[in-house]
Amino acid sequence: MSKFVTRFLKDESGATAIEYGLIAALVAVVLVTALTAVGTNLTTLFTTVANDLKPAG
């Protein structure tokens, strides 16, 4: 039983999985933020172009 407890306390594979999960979550947050900003800028750009192309009158 003591070997099992010692092995359990030395096992770090769960900690590694949690670290990878946190990194993936951080990357996802950065991507969502960046793509939202790009999307807003593109919407503004296309609106400006569409308004400039409207016929006068």
Side-chain angles (χ1 to χ4, degrees):
M1 182 70 173
S2 66
K3 286 184 180 182
F4 173 74
V5 172
T6 304
R7 214 173 8 161
F8 178 74
L9 292 175
K10 289 183 179 181
D11 185 17
E12 295 183 0
S13 61
T16 302
I18 291 172
E19 290 169 356
Y20 283 134
L22 290 172
I23 290 170
L26 179 63
V27 168
V29 168
V30 169
L31 281 173
V32 167
T33 304
L35 292 175
T36 301
V38 168
T40 303
N41 290 342
L42 281 177
T43 301
T44 304
L45 176 67
F46 284 126
T47 302
T48 303
V49 170
N51 290 335
D52 289 345
L53 292 177
K54 284 183 182 176

